[in-house]
Amino acid sequence: MENKDKSSVIFGNQIDQKTIKKGLKSKQKFVKKFGDDSNKEYHLALENIPTLDFIGAQNLILSDAPLALPKKPVVVGNIRMGFGHYRISIALASCAKALGYDPIWMDLASFDATGSKMIRSQNDLYSLGSRLSQKFKLFNALVWEPMNSEGFRQITYNSIDQKNAELLTPLYHDLPKDIPYVATHVWPSQGAIHAGLTHVVNAIPDNWPMALHLSEGAIHAVQTPFAYLGYKMLNGMAKKSLKGIPESDIYEVGHYIDHELVSNIEKDVEARVNRIQKDEPTRILTSVGGAGAGAKSFLEIVNHLIPKVKEGKVALFINLGDHLDMYEFLKKKISGFENMCITHFDRYDETKEFVNKMDKSVIKGIHIFYHKNIFEAVYSTNLLMRHVELLITKPSELAFYPVVKVMMKHIGGHEVYGAIHAQEIGDSTFECPDKKSMSEMLDHLLTDKELLIHLNKQIVKLKATGIYDGGYKAIELAVKGK
């Protein structure tokens, strides 16, 4: 493995010695905690992912024998951090399949290796912080918001991450150097570059430019003009002006969206408009994130919508993901809630069957979905969103999806600019940070048919501009390479 140092100079910008030493100390800390496997040769094998059988995606697992690859492989490198990076990864795998390639799933956090253990330990801390930020306003104001908007933004943070990423290289032993590789989190991208891979795309998820997402040596793909400008000049990533990213290393590609969603936009919007015009119950989907945060907000939303469900004005769909504890919370807080709900728990085939019939019938009531399997938990939202008029979500990765969104309060300052982008292109509301603003927004959308139809038709207009084609373009960049 090449394992060249990338923490001392980043895009021609010299990093101070104090930060360089801090990065080395961080790497040594993880080696001491999880062991040194830098000289180990890990072998990999492929196994099917049943949930993603429609795109033929296969998962990389540890093996005793060297890896045998399909004819036209594209690796999607990712980690589970919430649901967002998995959702974007599924989108890219879907686009790879649509373009004639064989998508391969590589979750760096899933292996029994030093680098994987390092990722899991950092992810646990991030998930804890996310939940604490929703419970304690002082922690959110003094720690979480500043860290997610400014702390991760600094180029010194990237320097430390680059040093830690050297621990990931043994997992890339079986991959050919020129294999197309698209990463939906910066760590898989950094690991691939350190390992000497040459066709790496770093698919940046957020609209707020942060040095956290830099992976020098990779092609950086961003979803918006705002992100392109910020990353191109490394804006605000140090107290002094920085040398920016070379033109050949960064592309604005558009939103990373599944082929199944993009190719059906016109059909799905037409079905939504027809339901609105027929005055059928407005279908509203809300999805619990991978970290399980935001319980209070979900409670407020559900309480506000229950009377409208009883009146036949709303059909409510709640995807719990793999967080059954949210259901227990709602049952505890809402009297008789269990009896109001139709549950779809851990029966993915039944969930798919239900979804397939959604456009053929008038649906009423409250439907709750839960799947223990991570792929099923994530993709259930994708299945459902095609058949609803509104998605209530925090402005995370779902802010970029082709469905009308009602934005909840962000979790982490980096999400703010996802909400701003979505409202400005016109397929979303502005951010509704509290009970009052959320209730007012929902009431307005439920009574103003013309507005709801307008927002849905805007998605068709946006598709014509190519804004939802980012997934295809990211795959094409990886295949072409630099």
Side-chain angles (χ1 to χ4, degrees), residues 180-194:
Y181 186 100
V182 185
T184 61
H185 187 283
V186 71
W187 293 336
S189 178
Q190 290 171 349
I193 292 298
H194 279 288

Side-chain angles (χ1 to χ4, degrees), residues 410-449:
H410 63 272
I411 300 178
H414 63 294
E415 292 183 346
V416 173
Y417 286 83
I420 293 172
H421 171 73
Q423 75 180 62
E424 288 188 337
I425 65 171
D427 66 356
S428 171
T429 72
F430 46 80
E431 193 172 338
C432 301
D434 52 34
K435 179 181 177 180
K436 182 177 182 294
S437 59
M438 175 59 72
S439 298
E440 288 177 351
M441 179 60 73
L442 289 171
D443 289 348
H444 203 85
L445 290 169
L446 290 171
T447 56
D448 191 339
K449 285 186 179 182

Side-chain angles (χ1 to χ4, degrees), residues 31-321:
V31 169
K32 183 177 180 180
K33 186 174 182 180
F34 299 122
D36 185 357
D37 62 357
S38 57
N39 294 318
K40 186 169 182 177
E41 293 185 357
Y42 288 105
H43 291 303
L44 303 171
L46 295 170
E47 67 172 6
N48 293 330
I49 305 175
T51 308
L52 304 183
D53 57 356
F54 63 98
I55 55 175
Q58 292 183 289
N59 186 34
L60 286 174
I61 58 173
L62 290 179
S63 172
D64 294 328
L67 175 65
L69 288 165
K71 290 184 179 180
K72 298 182 69 177
V74 171
V75 179
V76 181
N78 59 74
I79 65 170
R80 174 177 178 176
M81 180 173 278
F83 285 166
H85 300 284
Y86 256 40
R87 194 182 315 282
I88 296 171
S89 297
I90 294 172
L92 290 165
S94 168
C95 291
K97 183 66 174 180
L99 292 173
Y101 297 98
D102 301 304
I104 296 174
W105 192 271
M106 186 181 192
D107 180 353
L108 282 193
S110 67
F111 301 101
D112 184 21
T114 295
S116 300
K117 293 171 184 176
M118 173 186 69
I119 290 173
R120 290 197 293 270
S121 68
Q122 293 186 89
N123 187 31
D124 287 345
L125 286 174
Y126 189 87
S127 296
L128 175 62
S130 181
R131 292 191 297 272
L132 289 175
S133 72
Q134 299 303 292
K135 293 181 179 180
F136 304 106
K137 290 184 179 180
L138 197 61
F139 174 80
N140 186 57
L142 298 180
V143 179
W144 196 246
E145 285 277 345
M147 182 174 69
N148 275 275
S149 58
E150 294 299 330
F152 292 155
R153 191 182 183 191
Q154 302 307 304
I155 198 168
T156 49
Y157 189 93
N158 181 253
S159 171
I160 296 168
D161 254 9
Q162 284 281 17
K163 182 55 65 175
N164 290 333
E166 293 174 3
L167 298 175
L168 299 169
T169 58
L171 291 168
Y172 292 84
H173 179 269
D174 276 1
L175 296 182
K177 292 290 191 290
D178 62 349
I179 193 169
Y181 186 100
V182 185
T184 61
H185 187 283
V186 71
W187 293 336
S189 178
Q190 290 171 349
I193 292 298
H194 279 288
L197 272 63
T198 59
H199 286 54
V200 180
V201 168
N202 176 28
I204 296 174
D206 296 318
N207 196 34
W208 176 239
M210 296 187 289
L212 162 70
H213 292 302
L214 297 178
S215 177
E216 186 173 4
I219 297 170
H220 293 66
V222 296
Q223 299 188 81
T224 74
F226 177 81
Y228 179 88
L229 175 64
Y231 277 106
K232 185 73 175 66
M233 59 189 296
L234 301 185
N235 182 50
M237 297 183 188
K239 292 181 180 179
K240 62 180 182 179
S241 179
L242 297 172
K243 296 178 182 177
I245 298 179
E247 185 178 357
S248 60
D249 286 8
I250 183 166
Y251 293 83
E252 179 200 339
V253 298
H255 301 184
Y256 315 127
I257 308 297
D258 313 61
H259 171 71
E260 290 71 31
L261 294 172
V262 177
S263 62
N264 284 294
I265 281 177
E266 291 88 353
K267 172 187 172 184
D268 293 343
V269 168
E270 182 181 8
R272 291 166 185 154
V273 170
N274 286 338
R275 287 193 296 269
I276 296 168
Q277 291 175 333
K278 291 178 180 178
D279 206 26
E280 292 184 13
T282 301
R283 299 176 177 184
I284 300 177
L285 168 64
T286 186
S287 178
V288 178
K296 181 183 176 184
S297 297
F298 276 97
L299 175 62
E300 292 171 349
I301 291 167
V302 173
N303 267 327
H304 183 73
L305 291 176
I306 282 176
K308 303 179 190 305
V309 172
K310 291 180 177 179
E311 293 170 8
K313 295 180 179 179
V314 167
L316 180 59
F317 306 88
I318 303 172
N319 182 20
L320 301 169

Side-chain angles (χ1 to χ4, degrees), residues 458-471:
Q458 179 67 7
I459 295 170
V460 177
K461 293 180 182 179
L462 289 169
K463 181 188 176 181
T465 70
I467 199 169
Y468 300 122
D469 292 344

